[in-house]
Amino acid sequence: MKALSDIVMLDLTHMLSGPFAGMLLADLGARTIKVEPPGTGEMTRGLLGDDPRYSYKGMGPYFLTLNRNKKSVCIDLKRPEGRALFHEMAARADIVVNNFRPGVTERLGIDHATLAAINPRIVTCSVTGFGEEGPDCDRTAFDVVAQGYGGGMSITGEAGGPPIRAGVPMGDLTSGLFGAVAMLAALHARVVTGRGQHIDLSMQDCQVSLLSYIAAMHLLSGEVPRQFGNAHPIYVPYNAFPTGDRWLIIAVVKDDQWARLRDVLGSPALHDTRFDGYEGRRDNRDAVDGAITDALAARGCDEWLALMRAARVPCGPVNDVARALTDVQVQARDMVVEIGHPEGGSFRTTGNPIKLSGSPGESYDPPPLLGQHTDEVLADLCGKSDADLARLRDAGVIA
C-alpha cells in the first residue's frame, strides 16, 4: 500500500505548477482524479502532441510527465448539472486542487466555502500567480513572470550581464512543491481538528521564500545583492571552471579543502599567501579563479574529477541533460523510468525522488486518455448507474 492510498484528490489543474503538485501526491499513492472540460481537455494535452520529436501517440512531454498515476473524468463545470456532479465527487474527496485565476472557483461554485458546506473535511488548494488577496492579486503570471517578480532572477547571470531565468521553470515547479507540502500539512491538521481548510498559495510568495539567506543579507545590510554568475558571494573557489574539454564545478568552503585542491592542481600560483583563509581568497577572487582556470586546462573534466574525488575536494561536472539522465547514480536510484501508454507501448521520463522505506512508491500508471475513466470513477465514487451515465452523456454534462 502506498503512503497516500487512502486519499482521494480531485485535480482541476492545468499547465505546469498545479499538475506538478498533483503528480507528486499521485506518485505517493493518492487516488488522483483529473477533472477536465469536454472537447480538448486540459490545455497541455495537445501541447507538442503533433511534434514527432517530443510526443508519443499524440501526447506531448508536459502531459506525459505530469499526469501519470491520474484518472481522467470529463465534466462540463459550466453547466449546473455538471457542478452538482462535481459537488457529489467533492463530498467523497479529501483534496481539491486548482490553479485557476483568483475568482474562478467562486464563479464556478466550487470554492472552499461551497465545498466545505458539503464536506467539512475537504482540503482545497489554489495555486495562483500572486495569491487570492492583496492589491495586485489579479496580475497575470507565468513561470518567468514569477521569477522576475520574486527577485531571484535579478541575481542570476554573470556580473554586469542581463538577468537570466533559471533553466528549469522554478516559478512553476517550486509552487507545485510548496503546494504538495501544504496539502500534506492540511491533511495532518485535519487529523487533529476533524476539519479541512483552504490553502492560498502564491507563485510570487514561493519565489520570495527561496531568497532565504540572501534576503536576510539584504535586510541586515541594506545592500542590494548583485549577480555572481556561478560564484558564491563568500566562498572562493566556488564556481564552474573550463577544463580541457567540459566544465567542472569546484566548491571549496574550508581551508583543508583548499589545501587539498592546491596539491591536486600542482600550480605554484595557488600557493600565494594572499589566498590564505577564506577572507583572503574572497578578497582576491579573480586571481584565485584565474590561477585555477589556467591549471585546469591541462586535463579533461573526467581526469580532474577522479583526482579531486580521491583527494576529497568537493567537485562535480556540469552535466548536460543527456549526461545527467545516464549518470550511474541516477540510473541506480530509478530516476529514469519507463511508463506505459493507454494505447500500448511505453515512454521514458523522470522518476520519483521520494524513497520511503516502509511504503512502496516505484509504480506508475499511464497518463490517461481524455475522459478515459469517467464512467469508472462516477460509478465507484458517486454510485452512478449505467442509465445515469447515459443520461448525463446525452445531456452533454460528461464526455
Side-chain angles (χ1 to χ4, degrees), residues 21-43:
M23 184 204 76
L24 294 172
L25 300 193
D27 280 357
L28 294 173
R31 183 182 178 190
T32 304
I33 301 165
K34 187 174 182 68
V35 180
E36 301 185 72
T40 58
E42 194 252 294
M43 64 179 66

Side-chain angles (χ1 to χ4, degrees), residues 22 28 39 49 74 89 97 133 146 184 203 237 297 308 316 327 352 389:
L28 294 173
C74 259
M89 297 173 67
V97 57
E133 297 179 347
L184 294 175
M203 292 171 68
M308 290 183 189
D327 182 88
N352 180 5
L389 295 169

Side-chain angles (χ1 to χ4, degrees), residues 72-392:
S72 173
V73 171
C74 259
I75 302 176
D76 188 349
L77 295 178
K78 295 180 180 179
R79 293 171 177 257
E81 198 167 2
R83 288 193 293 275
L85 187 59
F86 184 83
H87 290 165
E88 287 187 57
M89 297 173 67
R92 296 161 177 83
D94 299 285
I95 302 171
V96 175
V97 57
N98 78 85
N99 59 332
F100 297 138
R101 288 177 61 85
V104 171
T105 56
E106 287 81 3
R107 290 197 296 274
L108 289 174
I110 56 172
D111 55 291
H112 180 76
T114 301
L115 300 183
I118 300 166
N119 177 2
R121 291 175 57 80
I122 198 76
V123 170
T124 59
C125 178
S126 292
V127 181
T128 60
F130 299 93
E132 296 179 299
E133 297 179 347
D136 281 333
C137 67
D138 60 347
R139 296 167 178 162
T140 299
F142 289 101
D143 170 79
V144 69
V145 175
Q147 288 195 40
Y149 269 110
M153 192 169 167
S154 73
I155 55 174
T156 304
E158 295 298 330
I164 302 293
R165 73 171 180 88
V168 294
M170 294 296 290
D172 282 325
L173 296 180
T174 54
S175 56
L177 282 167
F178 279 112
V181 171
M183 288 185 279
L184 294 175
L187 288 175
H188 179 74
R190 190 180 70 174
V191 174
V192 178
T193 66
R195 300 186 66 84
Q197 58 186 296
H198 180 60
I199 300 159
D200 171 10
L201 197 77
S202 155
M203 292 171 68
Q204 182 183 32
D205 290 352
C206 294
Q207 292 301 291
V208 169
S209 77
L210 295 181
L211 294 175
S212 185
Y213 74 89
I214 296 170
M217 290 171 69
H218 163 67
L219 294 170
L220 288 167
S221 68
E223 298 174 1
V224 178
R226 61 185 179 87
Q227 293 164 306
F228 266 92
N230 294 311
H232 193 283
I234 299 172
Y235 297 116
V236 177
Y238 194 106
N239 212 329
F241 298 90
T243 69
D245 47 21
R246 56 196 183 104
W247 290 79
L248 171 70
I249 295 166
I250 299 172
V252 166
V253 299
K254 298 192 297 184
D255 287 341
D256 62 324
Q257 295 168 346
W258 169 247
R260 294 196 296 272
L261 175 64
R262 287 187 311 188
D263 291 342
V264 169
L265 293 178
S267 170
L270 295 174
H271 288 267
D272 192 318
T273 56
R274 292 179 301 159
F275 306 158
D276 293 344
Y278 87 88
E279 297 96 337
R281 294 189 293 277
R282 181 197 62 198
D283 294 344
N284 295 279
R285 178 187 305 272
D286 291 344
V288 172
D289 285 355
I292 290 174
T293 298
D294 291 342
L296 290 174
R299 300 175 187 263
C301 180
D302 290 340
E303 291 181 83
W304 285 122
L305 280 172
L307 292 168
M308 290 183 189
R309 285 172 180 165
R312 294 181 294 114
V313 174
C315 62
V318 178
N319 281 335
D320 59 23
V321 173
R323 286 180 180 269
L325 295 179
T326 54
D327 182 88
V328 62
Q329 189 69 5
V330 168
Q331 294 284 327
R333 292 183 60 80
D334 296 322
M335 282 309 300
V336 176
V337 297
E338 192 159 332
I339 300 177
H341 188 280
E343 294 181 326
S346 62
F347 63 96
R348 292 188 303 156
T349 187
T350 52
N352 180 5
I354 300 172
K355 315 295 183 184
L356 301 177
S357 66
S359 302
E362 299 298 317
S363 63
Y364 303 94
D365 291 331
L369 300 174
L370 179 60
Q372 179 180 347
H373 305 97
T374 300
D375 289 5
E376 172 193 330
V377 169
L378 295 181
D380 180 46
L381 197 64
C382 301
K384 299 301 180 185
S385 67
D386 289 345
D388 293 332
L389 295 169
R391 180 185 61 79
L392 289 166

